[in-house]
Amino acid sequence: MRSPTIPRLSLSANAIHKFCFQDKSILPPPTPNHHLQQLSESRIISLLDSCTHLNHLKAVHASIYRCCLEQNRFVLTKLIRVLTNLNSPINGYPRAIFNQVQHPNCFLWTALIRGYVVSRLFHEAINLYDCMKRDCVRPNSFTFCTLFKAATLMGDVGLGCQLHGELFKLGGFGGSGFFLHAGNTLIDLYVKCGVMESARNVFDEMPVRDVVSGTSLIVAYAKGGAMEAAMELFDELDVKDVVVWTAMITSYSQNARPRDALEMFERMQGCAIEPDEFTLAGVISACAQLGTTKYSMCIRDIAERSGHGPERNVFIGSALVDMYSKCGRVDDAYAIFKVMRERNVYSYSSMILGFAVHGRAVEAMQLFCEMKKTDIRPNRVTLIGVLTACSHAGMVEEGRKLFKTMEETYGVTPTGDHYTCMVDLLGRSGHLEEALDLAKSMPIEPHGGVWGALLGACSIYNNPETAEIAASHLFELEPNNIGNYVLFANILSSAGKWDGVSRVRKLMRIKGLKKNPACSWVEGKKGIIHEFFAGDQTHPRFREIKQVLEDLLTRLRLHGYQPNLVSVSYDVSDDDKRQILMTHSEKLALAFELLSTESAHTIRIMKNLRICEDCHIFMCGASKITEREIVVRDNLRFHHFRDGSCSCGNFW
DNA sequence: TTAGGGTTAG
C-alpha cells in the first residue's frame, strides 16, 4: 500500500498545511496577504504550466492550499505532474498532496504512478497500480501509457504482456480510439524489447494505422536492415508527417543507401512537408556518404535559411563538419567547426577524423589536445580518429603510447577496429613483424580488418611471405571479399611469383568472384556526375581526353617521370603495361577535369579503390606542371596533390 | 496532455 513514511492524513486544515508546506525549501507557507488567494481554476492551471523552477510555485501556493481544502483533483493532478517534471522528490511533496485527497480518481493515480516511473522507482509504481485496482479505480489510456513506459525502461517484456492482457480485457484498443495512445506505447515497448512480431500484431489490431506507432515499427525494421518492409509500411500509412518522413530518410542513410535517402527527401518536399532540424541532419549525413558538393551546398542553404545553422544546432553542425570533410573540403569543415557554439563528442570526432583522412595529422593531434581540456570525453570513435591520424602521418611512437594507455586514461577498451588502426600504423611504417605479432597476440579474435591492414602493408613493402599469412586468414574470414584476392595477387605479381598469381586467380574463378571494376568520378556543372571506368574508351570526349593525357605524359617525361610498370598485375609486355596505366580511371577523370574546368578550379576526383603507385606519382607531377590543386579521394582517405607533392607524405 | 524521427567508425 502507501509508503510507510507518509501516514494517511486527516483532513484538518492544519494537517494539510503541515504536509504541504512543512519543507520550507520547497514551498514556504503562504503569507497572510496571500491567504486563500482567489484565483480561478484556469488561471492556476496556466500558472502551473508556466513553472520552470520549484520557486515559481510560490506565486500559486496560496491557491494550491485552497485547492487542497476543496479537494480539487484536477488542479492537484496538474500539480503532481509539474512537481514530477521539476524533479521534486516523489516521496515528499507530490506524495503528500496525493495522500490528502479523499477519493483519488484515475488521473490523480496516474500522475502519481508516472512520478514514480520518472524517478525510476518501478516497483513502487507497479504497487501503486495494484492499489488503484484494489480501490476499484478503472485505469485509462494514460495509465497504460505510463505502465508500458515503465516496462520499456525496465526491459520487462513479461510485464508488458501481462498489462497487454489486462488492457485487452478492458476492451482492447477500442473503436473509439480511447486506447490508441496506449497502443502506441505498447508497440514501442515490444519494438524496444525486440519482439517485432508482437509489435506488428498490435499495430494490425489497432483500429487506426497511426503514424506514431507506424514510425516506431519503421525504425525497428530499418535497424534490422529490413528497408523493404519499412518502405512497404511507410507506403501504407494514410497520414505522413515530418517525423515519419525523417525516419525513412535517416533509415536509408544509416543503411548506407544515401541515394534513396535523398530521393525520399525530394519526395517529401514534393508533398510540401517542411523539413525540420532532424530531417536536415539525416539528409546532410546522406550527402556526406555521397561526397558530392553541389547537393550538399543546397542542403546547407536550407539549414541556414530555416534557422538551423551550425552555430545553433550541434547535430547539424557535426553533420556538416563530416559532410565537408567527406566532400574533400577539410578547410570548410574546420570553418564550420569553429563557428559552432556547442560541440560534442561527435563534432570533435568528425573533425579529428577529417584532419586525419586528409593527412593533416598535426592539426588532428592539436584538436585532440584541445578536446582533452573540455568536459567532453573521447570515445572509441574519437580514438580511432587519433590513431588514424598517427597512421597516415607515420607517427609510430605517439600511436604506440596512445594505444597502450587508452583503456587506463579514457576507459575505452581497444576493439578490433583499434587493433586495425594499430596494425595499419605499424605496417605502413615498415614494422611488419611487430604488426604481425600484435595481430597474433590480440585478446579478441582478429576480424578481417586487422588482417586486411596487414595485407595492405605487405603490398607497400613487397613482402609476399607475411602477405601469405594475412591472406590465409582473410580467405577464411571473408571468403567472398574480392579485394583481398586482388591485393594478394598484386603482391605476388610484384614479386614475380606468377605461379602464386595463377593459384589465386583460379581460386577466384572457382568461387565465381569477379573483379570490382575500378571507377573514378567527378562532379560537373549542376552537380552532374561523370564516371570513368578503367580502360573505358566510350566517353563522348574520349579522343580529347586521350590527347590531354598524351600531352601531359610528354611533359611529365621531361621532368623525369617513368611509368611504374609494377602497378600492373598482369603478365603482359611492358608496352601493354604502359597502355593499361594510361587508361586508369583516375587519369581519365583528371584529363576530363583539365579539359572542362577553369585553371583556378581545384580538381576533385573520387575513386572506389585504392589509388595505385603509378597514378600517385603521375598526380604529383601533374599538380606541378599544370599548377592545379588535385584532390583524390580513394576508398580510405584523401590525397591533396599540390606543387609536385602529396599531403599523405607517401604513406597510404 | 500521454507517444514516433537527428550527427562520428565499421
Side-chain angles (χ1 to χ4, degrees), chain A residues 345 349 368 371-372 376-383 410-412:
Chain A
V345 68
S349 304
F368 182 53
M371 178 184 181
K372 285 192 282 187
I376 305 163
R377 297 272 295 167
N379 66 11
R380 59 190 196 285
V381 182
T382 324
L383 297 180
Y410 305 107
V412 177

Side-chain angles (χ1 to χ4, degrees), chain A residues 61-119:
Chain A
H61 70 243
S63 302
I64 292 168
Y65 182 63
R66 199 187 79 229
C67 289
C68 287
L69 291 176
E70 291 172 358
Q71 296 280 291
N72 184 330
R73 294 182 297 195
F74 180 52
V75 170
L76 296 178
T77 301
K78 181 79 191 177
L79 176 63
I80 291 176
R81 290 195 59 83
V82 171
L83 287 168
T84 302
N85 294 343
L86 296 177
N87 298 321
S88 171
I90 184 69
N91 269 320
Y93 192 18
R95 183 67 194 242
I97 293 288
F98 177 83
N99 279 4
Q100 59 75 47
V101 178
Q102 209 172 12
H103 300 292
N105 62 8
C106 168
F107 287 90
L108 204 61
W109 277 103
T110 303
L112 187 71
I113 293 172
R114 178 181 172 270
Y116 280 90
V117 173
V118 170
S119 311

Side-chain angles (χ1 to χ4, degrees), chain A residues 311-325:
Chain A
E311 302 88 355
R312 291 181 177 192
N313 187 301
V314 66
F315 290 92
I316 301 256
S318 307
L320 282 172
V321 166
D322 179 52
M323 182 191 84
Y324 276 114
S325 151

Side-chain angles (χ1 to χ4, degrees), chain A residues 322-342:
Chain A
D322 179 52
M323 182 191 84
Y324 276 114
S325 151
K326 286 189 176 140
C327 289
R329 297 166 181 267
V330 67
D331 290 314
D332 291 333
Y334 192 49
I336 295 280
F337 182 82
K338 280 195 287 194
V339 301
M340 289 171 69
R341 271 186 230 135
E342 185 194 341

